[in-house]
Structures are given as C-alpha cells and as structure tokens.
C-alpha cells in the first residue's frame, strides 16, 4: 500500500504513515538553536505523528537547546536518525530519562503522561503535555499562548523546580484562537460549535485507512474498516469519542470544559457537535457567538485581522473562505464567513467559520510556543 507522502497537503518533513518515518530534518548545517547556555529538551513519543511535528516546529522556529533526548517505547528504542545535522538514537522512556532535562514535550497518550509526567516534574523538568491527562486538573495551567499566557505566570526554566502545563484539545485551540479576540471586545455569553474533523486527529493509521478506503470504494470493493469500524471515505459520522450519559461525546465536552477553564469563566455557555469528515489533515469549525455587548461584523473583521496567529480569508465576491487544504502545514488559523447572526437582535450575534491544522497549531506548534514562554 502506498504511503501518504505524495499528497501535496502533507508536510514535506513528515510522512504520515502507520509508522511515521523518521526523516532527516535540516541535516546539512549546524543550526543556531544548538547552544551551550540553552535548556536541555526531551521529546516523549518522538516516533508518532505529533512527535515528529514537534521536531519540525522546533527546527522551523530555531528553538534553542543544548541537548535533546528522543524518547519512545521499547519497540522504537535503538533506531537512529538525524536532526539538525546531528545523529540521535531513540531511547526507551524510563524514569531516569528526565535526569538533567529542563523541558519535556509529551505526546505519547494519556496513560504515559499520567505515569511519567509527575516523575519528570519531581526531577525538576517542566512538562508540556499534549494529552488530556491533566487538562482539567485545577492545579495545572491549560494554555494557548495567544489567549491566556498569564495562566503560566511564574513558570520558567531555571526556577529550580518542575511543573506541568497542559496543551488544550486541538478543537479547543482552533476555536478559541478566533473566538477569544471577539470575546475580549464584546464578551461571549453563548457559543455553539460544530466541528468538521480530519482523519489526522485520529492519527496516521486513520489517514492511511481513509486513503485505502477511497481507493477501494472507487474500485467497487468493500472498504477496509479497522480504525473507525464504518466507512469513512465519501461519508461523515459523529466523532468516534465515547458518548457520555448526557448524550455528548468526550470530544464535545472537552470544548465545553476547556473553554470555561481557559477563559476563566464558568458561566459561559458552550455547546458542541463534533463530526468526523473525510479530510486528510486540518479541522474546520462553524462557530456561532452570542455577545453581551454589541459587535458588528466589520469591527469583528478588523479585530480578527489584527489578532496574533489568525489570518482572515473572507472574500464574499469570489466565494473564497477558509478550507482545510488552505491551512494544512500552516501555523495560522484561518477565519472567514464573518457575518451577523440574523436570528439575534441587533449586533449581539456573529457566525464565523474557522480552519486550523490539527497537528500544527492544534498540537505541536502550541506546545512549542508554550516552551518558548518558559525561556
């Protein structure tokens, strides 16, 4: 079966197959990021899709470090690859892995984070965790740097002790990058979110299966359904997260709970419906906002055009608006379809459409931006 590497919307630095290939990243030159006075890093889950994207983002942003450990499971240990002109051997994750490590980027799943996150903190490491393990822990900051940097105030490399910082869910990050600048101006009372989530959110194996199913369906064959247990190609369905007793699934409730924590507002009303769509990479979201104070669409557009990490794609004349393809492998979140909600009186409601790369800003980039704030 072919890999996904030939798809133009997948990163040239990241081949997302069921076993992500460790590729040389900037192999020819010693980068300025390697500095004796910089912090020591560890990447936990380095062989996964987000782990490899961590390395791409670290390289793209010239993140300074004096050393970096590549950590993964036992089955990956011993594999070698080049990163920024140096060859590294993947080590099996263990308690002693964090000896002398200043910052650890975790993306190896919730169970690994729960086991090794506190161990790393005890050894003085600042952990930036991409799983859901600690997001709702009231003692752990849940951070989007453009949204609530104050939540991690006082946490810095060199402070002499470890700490945990949680990376929000990808859907929450993409949504709040656009909604927060408007919330600051007019205060959101209620937010209704409908997500259109790509295969990338379920990992490389889901992307591989979507490609395989597409080929099978076009050839008139029954589709292989191992990841989602139903046809994904030419179809869409409710997000595969477990459904809770209230009828919402876990993905939807993450948007509700994480928004309230990040905005530090337990009274904001949030409801969500999360859907898997047959898109390879990057999530899209339809967001309806109800405000306490009036906010017209022209002012909202100006606010979003000046918001960090946001790009406005809102060309009504050409019917050109954000798309998953347009944001794939991009850092910025794209916002468009900015319009007054005609079901609400006055200028107290807006509809917007948001697209963001789930692996990039929805995971790896946000974590590295958090790490940059620790320096």
């Amino acid at each position: 079966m072919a890999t996904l590497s030939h798809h133009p919307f997948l990163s040239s630095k990241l081949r997302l197959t069921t076993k992500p290939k460790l590729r040389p990243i900037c192999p020819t030159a010693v980068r300025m990021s390697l500095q004796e006075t910089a912090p020591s890093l560890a990447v936990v889950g380095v062989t996964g899709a987000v782990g490899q994207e961590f390395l791409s983002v670290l390289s793209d942003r010239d993140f300074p470090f004096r050393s970096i450990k590549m950590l993964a499971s036992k089955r990956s240990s011993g594999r070698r690859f080049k990163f920024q002109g140096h060859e590294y051997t993947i080590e099996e994750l263990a308690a002693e892995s964090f000896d002398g490590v200043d910052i650890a980027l975790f993306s190896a799943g919730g169970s690994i984070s729960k086991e090794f996150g506190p161990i790393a903190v005890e050894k003085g490491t600042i952990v930036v965790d991409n799983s859901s393990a600690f997001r709702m822990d009231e003692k752990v900051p849940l951070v989007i740097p453009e949204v609530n940097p104050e939540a991690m105030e006082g946490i810095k490399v060199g402070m002499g002790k470890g700490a945990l910082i949680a990376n929000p869910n990808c859907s929450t990050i993409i949504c709040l990058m656009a909604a927060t600048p408007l919330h600051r101006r007019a205060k959101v009372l209620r937010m209704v979110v409908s997500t259109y989530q790509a295969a990338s959110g379920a990992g490389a194996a889901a992307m591989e299966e979507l490609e395989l199913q597409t080929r099978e369906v076009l050839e008139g064959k029954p589709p292989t359904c191992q990841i989602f247990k139903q046809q994904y190609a030419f179809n869409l369905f409710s997000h595969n997260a477990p459904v809770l007793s209230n009828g919402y699934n876990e993905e939807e409730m993450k948007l509700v709970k994480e928004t309230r924590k990040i905005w530090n507002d337990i009274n904001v009303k949030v409801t969500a419906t999360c859907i898997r769509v047959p898109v390879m990479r990057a999530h899209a979201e339809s967001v309806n906002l109800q405000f306490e104070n009036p906010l017209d669409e022209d002012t909202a557009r100006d606010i979003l055009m000046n918001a960090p990490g946001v790009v406005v794609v809102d060309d009504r004349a050409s019917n050109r608006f954000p798309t998953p393809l347009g944001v794939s492998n991009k850092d910025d979140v794209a916002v468009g379809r900015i319009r007054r909600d005609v079901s609400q009186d006055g200028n107290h409601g807006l509809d917007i459409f948001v697209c963001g790369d789930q692996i990039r800003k929805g995971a790896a980039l946000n974590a590295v931006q958090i790490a940059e704030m620790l320096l």
Side-chain angles (χ1 to χ4, degrees):
M1 183 170 61
T3 70
L4 300 171
S5 58
H6 59 278
H7 287 291
F9 48 87
L10 292 183
S11 170
S12 62
K13 295 177 182 173
L14 174 62
R15 294 173 185 260
L16 286 172
T17 61
T18 49
K19 293 182 179 179
K21 183 177 179 183
L22 303 180
R23 304 191 65 211
I25 300 175
C26 305
T28 56
V30 176
R31 301 285 290 271
M32 290 300 293
S33 49
L34 193 60
Q35 301 173 17
E36 285 301 317
T37 57
S40 56
L41 302 183
V43 177
V44 180
V46 71
T47 58
V50 175
Q52 285 288 285
E53 196 75 7
F54 277 150
L55 298 183
S56 290
V57 175
L58 289 169
S59 183
D60 289 346
R61 297 174 74 88
D62 271 340
F63 188 93
F65 61 90
R66 69 173 181 271
S67 64
I68 184 167
K69 289 185 178 182
M70 310 295 184
L71 303 174
S73 64
K74 184 176 183 179
R75 69 176 180 273
S76 297
S77 65
R79 293 167 64 186
R80 302 175 72 85
F81 70 103
K82 283 188 176 180
F83 173 63
Q84 293 196 351
H86 294 263
E87 188 168 76
Y88 293 89
T89 300
I90 296 174
E91 303 173 32
E92 181 182 356
L93 177 63
E96 57 269 20
S97 299
F98 303 100
D99 292 343
V101 171
D102 295 312
I103 302 171
L105 303 176
F106 272 65
S107 188
S111 60
I112 296 296
S113 293
K114 286 180 181 177
E115 180 180 357
F116 288 96
I119 292 172
V121 171
E122 191 68 26
K123 290 177 175 284
T125 303
I126 301 175
V127 172
V128 183
D129 181 45
N130 194 54
S131 79
S132 60
F134 305 105
R135 287 175 186 157
M136 298 316 299
D137 186 328
E138 61 181 23
K139 298 176 184 175
V140 176
L142 183 65
V143 178
I144 305 171
E146 296 91 341
V147 173
N148 63 329
E150 69 282 353
M152 53 183 284
E153 188 176 355
I155 304 176
K156 293 283 185 181
V157 169
M159 66 181 182
K161 59 181 180 179
L164 265 169
I165 302 168
N167 219 27
N169 187 45
C170 53
S171 299
T172 306
I173 292 173
I174 292 165
C175 177
L176 296 193
M177 284 291 292
T180 300
L182 306 178
H183 174 57
R184 287 180 180 140
R185 172 64 68 93
K187 191 178 181 182
V188 172
L189 297 177
R190 183 170 186 259
M191 181 166 68
V192 181
V193 185
S194 299
T195 72
Y196 312 85
Q197 295 184 224
S200 59
M207 299 173 75
E208 192 79 11
E209 184 165 287
L210 175 56
E211 183 188 29
L212 173 62
Q213 281 192 9
T214 302
R215 191 181 302 112
E216 290 171 334
V217 172
L218 289 173
E219 293 173 354
K221 300 175 183 177
T224 300
C225 302
Q226 296 178 338
I227 305 300
F228 293 117
K229 312 305 179 187
Q230 58 183 309
Q231 182 174 324
Y232 193 14
F234 307 101
N235 193 24
L236 55 82
F237 45 80
S238 184
H239 193 282
N240 49 297
V243 179
L244 306 173
S245 60
N246 65 358
Y248 287 73
N249 63 43
E250 287 184 357
E251 186 80 0
E252 292 158 351
M253 289 309 298
K254 286 176 185 176
L255 256 167
V256 175
K257 294 177 180 178
E258 291 178 19
T259 297
R260 289 172 174 167
K261 180 173 179 177
I262 292 166
W263 279 357
N264 193 27
D265 183 356
I266 61 171
N267 296 315
V268 64
K269 295 178 171 66
V270 181
T271 185
T273 301
C274 295
I275 303 295
R276 285 274 185 219
V277 296
V279 169
M280 279 292 177
R281 178 167 176 156
H283 294 348
E285 302 181 8
S286 170
V287 183
N288 175 266
L289 300 163
Q290 179 184 350
F291 300 107
E292 181 177 278
N293 303 306
L295 179 62
D296 65 85
E297 64 183 44
D298 290 333
T299 303
R301 192 174 290 105
D302 288 341
I303 290 169
L304 291 168
M305 288 178 69
N306 290 287
V310 173
V311 60
V312 173
V313 182
D314 199 44
D315 187 347
R316 295 178 181 178
S318 301
N319 201 11
R320 181 175 172 267
F321 303 106
T323 65
L325 274 179
V327 300
S328 291
N329 301 301
K330 303 286 179 59
D331 288 349
D332 288 340
V333 169
V335 187
R337 301 300 318 278
I338 304 163
R339 63 204 189 277
R340 185 177 75 84
D341 176 2
V342 297
S343 73
Q344 297 189 52
D345 294 333
N347 286 313
H348 285 268
L350 285 174
D351 285 298
I352 60 175
F353 188 70
V354 188
C355 288
D357 188 314
Q358 172 272 333
I359 302 174
R360 196 85 178 174
K361 180 55 183 173
L365 172 62
N366 199 78
V368 173
Q369 287 177 303
I370 290 171
E372 288 172 344
M373 293 171 62
L374 299 173
L375 302 180

